[in-house]
Amino acid sequence: MTPPGMSAAPIGGASAAGPVGVALLGATGSIGTSALRVLARQPDRFVPVALTANGNFAALQEQVARFSPAYAGLVQSCPDAPAAWGRGPDCLVAAATHPEAAIVINAVVGAAGLPATLAALRCGKRVALANKETLVVAGGIVTDTAREHGGELVPVDSEHSAILQCLAGRQPHEVRRLLLTASGGPFRTWPAERIATATRSDALKHPTWQMGSKITIDSATLANKALEVIEAHHLFGVPYDRIDVVVHPQSIIHSFVEFVDGSVLAQMGVPSMELPILYALTWPERVPDSGVPSFDPVALGGLTFEAVRHEQFPMLGLGIAAGRQGGAAPAVFNAANEEAVAQFLAGHLSFGGIAERVADALQELGGSSGDTLDALLAADAAARRHVRSRIVAEL
Ligand code: NAD
Ligand code: MG
């Protein structure tokens, strides 16, 4: 079973035509810099041809000096940026459709990554997708676009990469259940009252992964796991009642697939995003030099599992319910969460306030139409306004 729109032709092999061109959106972030390390180790297979960043001019300038891509783009205006660089949000689409790029790694954070994913798929390219929000906001439209235009969506998210690896060669009717693992985040064992007033620095201390600030907060609320359940539903075409979540604090098993005969496969290894990034580029092939240390089960010690504490982490249930509801509800969940997390990081909202604002936005706007891309983008904008207006009203 493979995600919709995916052909099985490997494109990561060295070819007579030279290395495959890769556009990297969000090059200066956590996934972006990991991706550049992966690409730098595979010069015979891949070459970065386009790099974009949001506002970090200095970091992008250094990357451009090192990798000499054919295209560079900075979303925010910066007086020092060279005239040849692309500017504004359109630079993401320009990079994603660059003629020299066969693969687009989308490592942008948030719904801002959606237009570039769609543009790349319309050109029939492979999208190595870290930007899970793309599938949460418009999963049906994105997978339809991949199918219609022969584009490929290959997950970078470690859980979905694990599932893709476990599913290799299997048919949809052989799969009983997907079981996503969650680290549980920094508040896994905290009581609800303490979680509600957790500080920014408490929430930014992820126990097992080093990531950008938005996904780190999402991991603390478990919103990230809700986004991932919706992502898995769209990528693998599995209904919500056959996708479960289990807490696994060590983050060694990246996810499980249970098959109809009761057999369960897992993919495991020390937490590193470099392996799933490389696999998204070379799928279905495996190649050496992933940067991952050799597996030592004795050194890892015990692997443990716990049930999710839904009462203490309401964002997981809210997000899965939004996924089940469909229409614009997942887009509202995502946009309200993005806005609430930004407010929390800015010190304008308590940690417990994130789930309250998102629940409120879903109540007001979750039933909006999600039939077209315009309707979904309108719901996204309305949810952001809704959360913003509530917070301003309270100040
Ligand atoms: P990050 O904040 O470290 O980096 C985000 C990148 O996107 C930066 O290069 C930034 O310049 C760019 N960017 C931010 N806002 C933008 C905008 N509005 N327009 C264009 N570019 C913008 O985030 P990250 O941790 O690298 O995460 C990126 C994506 O990958 C997210 O969707 C996240 O959920 C997903 N992801 C991350 C990890 C991880 O380990 N970091 C793991 C799985 C999935
Ligand atoms: Mg993940």
Side-chain angles (χ1 to χ4, degrees):
M1 187 157 86
T2 55
M6 290 172 65
S7 77
I11 57 176
S15 77
V20 172
V22 177
L24 175 55
L25 317 181
T28 56
S30 164
I31 292 287
T33 50
S34 296
L36 282 174
R37 278 196 297 278
V38 170
L39 296 174
R41 268 200 300 273
Q42 306 281 345
D44 297 339
R45 294 176 195 279
F46 303 110
V47 57
V49 295
L51 300 176
T52 76
N54 191 33
N56 194 340
F57 165 68
L60 185 64
Q61 193 182 34
E62 246 174 64
Q63 294 176 343
V64 168
R66 174 158 180 218
F67 293 98
S68 306
Y71 181 89
L74 194 65
V75 174
Q76 290 178 13
S77 62
C78 169
D80 300 329
W85 286 15
R87 281 151 202 268
D90 290 349
C91 77
L92 297 177
V93 170
T97 57
H98 195 278
E100 289 178 35
I103 305 180
V104 176
I105 303 177
N106 189 342
V108 167
V109 58
L114 173 62
T117 301
L118 287 170
L121 293 173
R122 279 191 208 107
C123 295
K125 297 181 196 273
R126 171 176 293 197
V127 177
L129 189 70
N131 179 240
K132 62 191 86 185
E133 295 91 347
T134 276
L135 279 171
V136 174
V137 175
I141 290 172
V142 171
T143 50
D144 284 352
T145 303
R147 231 176 268 120
E148 276 164 35
H149 299 272
E152 297 176 315
L153 267 175
V154 191
V156 165
D157 217 346
S158 57
E159 295 76 1
H160 305 74
S161 178
I163 290 167
L164 184 64
Q165 295 178 54
C166 294
L167 287 176
R170 305 268 59 96
Q171 297 299 316
H173 67 266
E174 296 175 279
V175 176
R176 181 186 289 164
R177 187 167 67 115
L178 309 182
L179 185 54
L180 275 69
T181 52
S183 73
F187 309 141
R188 181 174 61 86
T189 59
W190 287 28
E193 324 71 82
R194 195 172 161 211
I195 296 174
T197 56
T199 65
R200 189 176 182 276
S201 82
D202 292 331
L204 285 173
K205 273 184 217 127
H206 195 278
T208 50
W209 294 98
Q210 286 292 321
M211 309 180 286
S213 55
K214 191 263 181 180
I215 184 176
T216 303
I217 303 304
D218 286 352
S219 301
T221 60
L222 294 199
N224 182 52
K225 215 45 59 177
L227 300 175
E228 291 186 354
V229 167
I230 299 171
E231 181 186 8
H233 167 76
H234 289 294
L235 272 175
F236 303 111
V238 173
Y240 285 104
D241 57 7
R242 294 201 280 123
I243 307 176
D244 289 330
V245 175
V246 66
V247 174
H248 167 47
Q250 298 83 17
S251 301
I252 298 298
I253 292 188
H254 300 309
S255 278
F256 300 92
V257 177
E258 183 179 323
F259 293 92
V260 286
D261 58 1
S263 180
V264 178
L265 294 190
Q267 187 265 340
M268 61 178 85
V270 292
S272 159
M273 289 310 295
E274 296 189 27
L275 175 60
I277 291 168
L278 178 62
Y279 191 69
L281 300 175
T282 65
W283 176 89
E285 242 192 301
R286 291 186 183 279
V287 301
D289 304 323
S290 68
V292 171
S294 189
F295 188 58
D296 181 352
V298 176
L300 292 177
L303 303 183
T304 59
F305 303 95
E306 300 164 10
V308 173
R309 298 191 307 151
H310 280 281
E311 219 173 289
Q312 289 84 352
F313 296 98
M315 286 293 277
L316 179 58
L318 280 171
I320 294 174
R324 286 175 181 271
Q325 185 179 347
V332 169
F333 173 78
N334 178 70
N337 179 55
E338 283 189 32
E339 185 60 37
V341 169
Q343 299 289 347
F344 170 72
L345 286 170
H348 300 323
L349 185 64
S350 67
F351 189 81
I354 298 173
E356 286 168 18
R357 293 297 170 275
V358 171
D360 191 50
L362 279 168
Q363 184 92 33
E364 287 282 319
L365 301 161
S368 314
S369 157
D371 292 348
T372 62
L373 189 57
D374 283 348
L376 290 168
L377 295 178
D380 170 294
R384 285 171 206 267
R385 278 196 306 273
H386 185 79
V387 172
R388 233 175 274 144
S389 68
R390 291 299 146 113
I391 286 164
V392 170
E394 273 183 15
L395 285 177

